Amino acid sequence: MTMSAAQPTPSVSEEDRLRADLYNYLGLILSAPPDELLLAQTAGLTGDDTDLGQAITRLAECARTTTPQQAEREFNKLFIGLGRGELLPYASFYLTGFLHEKPLAVLRTDLSARRIERAANVYEPEDNIATLMEVMGGLIVGRFAAPSTLEDQKTFFNRHVAPWAGHFYADLETAKTAMLYSAVGSVGKAFMKIEREAFRLTPA
């Protein structure tokens, strides 16, 4: 995606920065196989006793025993494959069974309204899970304009992420060819559950 406006501002709380960091991390590791640096950073993560914390601990453990070459092979089997990978990480597919359907059109309208554009060298449809994670992170910290209000984040999340992302992460968690990415799926599933509940409690 291309950035159309301001950088993060001091008005963003520490909690929101942490939320954005996790969205951005998921977007990064789901957009391409992790290199040696990202694997090392992942291996250094620490969790706590919560479901999300335990998932992060498992992810760190998996990263410690995964080489970049192994991660690339796993990524390719999951998302690329011969013809197609084990999973198709697109909102249109999860919601309609087909690619390039109405969910993508609705998303493009909402992104255009926010002046968020796909980068010239990116050819993936915008309803890819990695892009949606990146957009959520950007909305929180104001990467595309001023930081979005919680209500605006809720609107985007409920429209474009909540209907399918949890299902995708659950599928990734149990995918036959997933090892490192099974742990990524556990983290994403736990995080989406937290976000859904937090937005549910946000006043309308």
Side-chain angles (χ1 to χ4, degrees), residues 167-181:
H167 187 184
F168 164 77
Y169 283 122
D171 287 348
L172 182 58
E173 185 180 40
T174 59
K176 292 183 296 183
T177 53
M179 295 178 64
L180 174 71
Y181 278 90

Side-chain angles (χ1 to χ4, degrees), residues 84-172:
R84 57 162 282 185
E86 185 177 346
L87 299 178
L88 288 173
Y90 304 98
S92 289
F93 180 79
Y94 267 82
L95 297 175
T96 72
F98 300 95
L99 298 175
H100 302 282
E101 290 294 327
K102 184 176 180 180
L104 176 58
V106 174
L107 173 63
R108 283 174 170 167
T109 297
D110 281 357
L111 293 177
S112 178
R114 290 174 168 81
R115 298 181 178 274
I116 302 172
E117 300 177 350
R118 184 169 61 180
N121 62 339
V122 174
Y123 303 102
E124 287 280 317
E126 294 90 329
D127 62 344
N128 181 285
I129 187 69
T131 297
L132 288 171
M133 296 296 97
E134 179 190 349
V135 170
M136 279 298 302
L139 291 176
I140 293 168
V141 298
R143 189 182 307 136
F144 309 115
S148 294
T149 64
L150 197 57
E151 183 60 31
D152 188 50
Q153 295 172 37
K154 177 180 179 179
T155 297
F156 188 90
F157 180 88
N158 285 343
R159 184 175 294 168
H160 302 295
V161 180
W164 74 285
H167 187 184
F168 164 77
Y169 283 122
D171 287 348
L172 182 58

